[in-house]
Amino acid sequence: MESKKRTEISSLGEFALIDKLTESVQLKNSSSKKGVGDDAAVIAYEDNLQTLVTTDLLLEGIHFDLMYVPLKHLGYKSAIVNFSDIYAMNGIPKQITVSLGVSKRFSVEDLEEFYTGLNLACEEHGVDIVGGDTSASLTGFSISITCLGNAPADKIVYRSGAKEQDLICVSGDLGAAYMGLQLLEREKRVFAGEKDFTPDFSGKEYLLERQLKPQARKDIIELLKQNNIQPTSMIDISDGLSSELLHICSQSNVGCRVYEEHIPIDYQTAVMAEEFNMNLVTAALNGGEDYELLFTVPLSVHEQVSGLKEIKIIGYITNASLGANLIARDGGEIELKAQGWNSLQSENN
Amino acid sequence: MESKKRTEISSLGEFALIDKLTESVQLKNSSSKKGVGDDAAVIAYEDNLQTLVTTDLLLEGIHFDLMYVPLKHLGYKSAIVNFSDIYAMNGIPKQITVSLGVSKRFSVEDLEEFYTGLNLACEEHGVDIVGGDTSASLTGFSISITCLGNAPADKIVYRSGAKEQDLICVSGDLGAAYMGLQLLEREKRVFAGEKDFTPDFSGKEYLLERQLKPQARKDIIELLKQNNIQPTSMIDISDGLSSELLHICSQSNVGCRVYEEHIPIDYQTAVMAEEFNMNLVTAALNGGEDYELLFTVPLSVHEQVSGLKEIKIIGYITNASLGANLIARDGGEIELKAQGWNSLQSENN
């Protein structure tokens, strides 16, 4: 990075910087009436649609480590995690605002890298950048993104709609992003002090990609729609399966039984867990940042859902009195606990 | 602060903390369909209304100094600056999301203080807190607030609508917030090292209030509406009058002439400028954080506007070729420059 051109942010000033970063932005959605450049953006969805709003604050050293996260990937991921929240409501993301706090360590070129990733994610998901600001920070890099999306009122899926006997489904596979993080952390320690941090990750590409370039499952939302399947409840898996299952159970006032043997886990995740001498199920249950969708559907669509690639049925919803339990491979029951990724607690342990 | 009860944030965890901070929140607006507690908030405005979105990132040490800004005031102001952006579009703020990054220095009680101010501002302006998150930060306090509001499409006022001959108007008075900041900074230096920071501010209360508890001019928006006056362009004064005038001129492709003698300045601001040996007009032109409204109206409503208390006509719009100028008391013309408050540059000087 040091050999590249470096333009100091202070040489541009705030307004020129925002112009530079957003000059290539073309508004794609007819609902984006006014983007960057006024006191507020203006948005007009069609009359039958409700507005969805989600926001995420990402702070350097807490949510990401620039030692091994390239700024382009960070930009991409920052947008994706917000889109994922909108998909988890069964909605379509349409607009984002982007606020950045940057210390003097960062150059204009660094921010352009970040925006390259951000723009790529927005291209892929048909989302417009409609506002935001860029300001100095005393230390590090702070990112705040707010995403707006929409959905017809009767199609929005909340966490609270799960019913007894509903099937519990999950998209993709779990635990890989967590394993990718462990891998990056290990290599960071190994290469500590060395200038060029370029370890060999061959055979582990999937884990890295899951950590550095996660996907928001627009395809799953479309797949369900094509098959006329309306989930009864849904959430995206950002803090780990256990934690998200407990959210659905508490908000729907139900219990659940999920089966260890049905939890989808990729081969590379399993190999890595063994290498790290880690419990694979723990990684899948409590490892965060998978950004897969966890949802429930009525028992009546069992056959249809079973036929869908990329979706696995991992258990079913029970009466609240039965609690939330994992059925292990040996038949034993283990109560689910929210040991998910928690940035507030991780600070202290 | 040290003698008060102190609950460590880590003792609660993220979800319990958000519950605690938002438990008193009652959704006031019928458009707030779902607030805190799902992947996204759900909002439904009436069909004839467009959605306005604005966002602000406030970072400790850059945008505020907790040495003299009480957390309650900070919470209040953080919300107000966003409401001000919505009013500047001639809209009504309706919902906010609140993301906080907090270091270990802060306790649960500190965050409750912050929320007390935030809730007060929301009460006064009829706004609902519908989402957000709270996370750890390595250093300091980071605040990201996004505000949604609405307005009928034909009532939204952009920066780009000013026409030649339009009158330039400003609400309230200017420069006081900047003087309040200078005062606080001076006292901070004087009291450096002393434990109890309680200087005597008698006779300067207005300046402090303007800095610590600014108002968003909902009343002006209502006043204009009652009088059937639709501004042709509008912006809120957050970076100083000069900077905002230049935004309107460049986006409307016009020039302007404003008269020094008509710029509204409070008596306390003038006294303080003298005490600091500062140029009063410079303070009014370039001092930020007034959160007054700057707007243009057609010449035809001159008489009506002249009769409105709280609104001053300070000049008029000209052809772009004439530039943006201040007419000094001695009749001299001074070209306006954007020397406004700029957090990106202030880092370096």
Side-chain angles (χ1 to χ4, degrees), chain B residues 221-336:
Chain B
I221 297 303
E222 288 169 347
L223 186 69
L224 292 173
K225 195 178 171 189
Q226 280 156 21
N227 287 275
N228 285 316
I229 298 168
Q230 169 84 358
T232 51
S233 70
M234 186 152 54
I235 190 170
D236 73 325
I237 303 178
S238 53
D239 293 335
L241 178 63
S242 271
S243 170
E244 315 302 0
L245 275 169
L246 289 171
H247 279 306
I248 284 187
C249 286
S250 77
Q251 294 198 33
S252 297
N253 193 26
V254 294
C256 71
R257 283 171 77 89
V258 295
Y259 294 83
E260 180 185 338
E261 63 187 323
H262 293 316
I263 295 174
I265 294 173
D266 186 80
Y267 174 75
Q268 283 190 20
T269 308
V271 169
M272 202 67 223
E274 187 139 326
E275 201 176 315
F276 277 119
N277 203 15
M278 272 184 180
N279 185 321
L280 181 57
V281 181
T282 303
L285 282 178
N286 300 326
E289 302 194 280
D290 288 314
Y291 301 106
E292 295 296 341
L293 293 171
L294 170 70
F295 56 96
T296 56
V297 296
L299 185 56
S300 58
V301 299
H302 179 271
E303 208 168 324
Q304 260 178 293
V305 173
S306 307
L308 298 176
K309 227 186 77 174
E310 285 290 303
I311 293 177
K312 284 268 277 186
I313 299 171
I314 61 168
Y316 60 92
I317 296 293
T318 65
N319 189 281
S321 63
L322 299 177
N325 297 290
L326 175 79
I327 316 303
R329 281 177 202 272
D330 63 9
E333 285 197 20
I334 304 157
E335 197 191 334
L336 290 175

Side-chain angles (χ1 to χ4, degrees), chain B residues 38-231:
Chain B
D38 216 303
D39 294 285
V42 181
I43 291 163
Y45 294 141
E46 288 169 48
D47 288 349
N48 62 325
L49 300 176
Q50 293 194 332
T51 303
L52 302 166
V53 193
T54 183
T55 189
D56 259 298
L57 180 65
L58 302 172
L59 302 172
E60 185 177 354
I62 302 289
H63 302 96
F64 56 88
D65 185 337
L66 290 174
M67 181 78 89
Y68 52 70
V69 179
L71 280 162
K72 189 174 157 182
H73 285 76
L74 182 62
Y76 186 87
K77 185 169 173 176
S78 305
I80 290 293
V81 301
N82 277 284
F83 301 165
S84 181
D85 279 322
I86 299 292
Y87 291 128
M89 303 294 289
N90 204 26
I92 308 292
K94 292 290 181 181
Q95 285 90 12
I96 55 171
T97 63
V98 182
S99 297
L100 303 178
V102 284
S103 76
K104 276 202 262 192
R105 222 171 87 218
F106 299 90
S107 66
V108 172
E109 288 75 14
D110 290 336
L111 294 187
E112 286 177 324
E113 277 287 297
F114 180 86
Y115 261 80
T116 301
L118 197 62
N119 284 325
L120 179 60
C122 287
E123 281 292 327
E124 288 177 6
H125 291 265
V127 170
D128 290 326
I129 299 173
V130 295
D133 62 317
T134 304
S135 103
S137 81
L138 288 184
T139 52
F141 197 61
S142 310
I143 307 159
S144 174
I145 293 185
T146 297
C147 183
L148 274 75
N150 63 36
D154 62 344
K155 295 296 179 195
I156 294 176
V157 178
Y158 295 89
R159 296 176 179 176
S160 55
K163 299 273 179 298
E164 270 182 68
Q165 295 197 321
D166 280 357
L167 300 171
I168 301 171
C169 306
V170 69
S171 65
D173 60 78
L174 303 179
Y178 178 75
M179 282 302 166
L181 181 63
Q182 299 309 311
L183 183 59
L184 285 162
E185 287 283 351
R186 183 182 70 179
E187 299 304 304
K188 179 183 157 187
R189 287 191 296 272
V190 170
F191 282 78
E194 292 195 31
K195 217 178 161 193
D196 288 313
F197 176 60
T198 50
D200 179 16
F201 289 125
S202 61
K204 291 155 186 159
E205 295 83 357
Y206 180 67
L207 303 180
L208 292 182
E209 194 180 315
R210 293 289 285 176
Q211 172 57 227
L212 295 175
K213 205 187 173 208
Q215 297 301 306
R217 301 307 302 260
K218 181 184 195 172
D219 58 331
I220 298 294
I221 297 303
E222 288 169 347
L223 186 69
L224 292 173
K225 195 178 171 189
Q226 280 156 21
N227 287 275
N228 285 316
I229 298 168
Q230 169 84 358

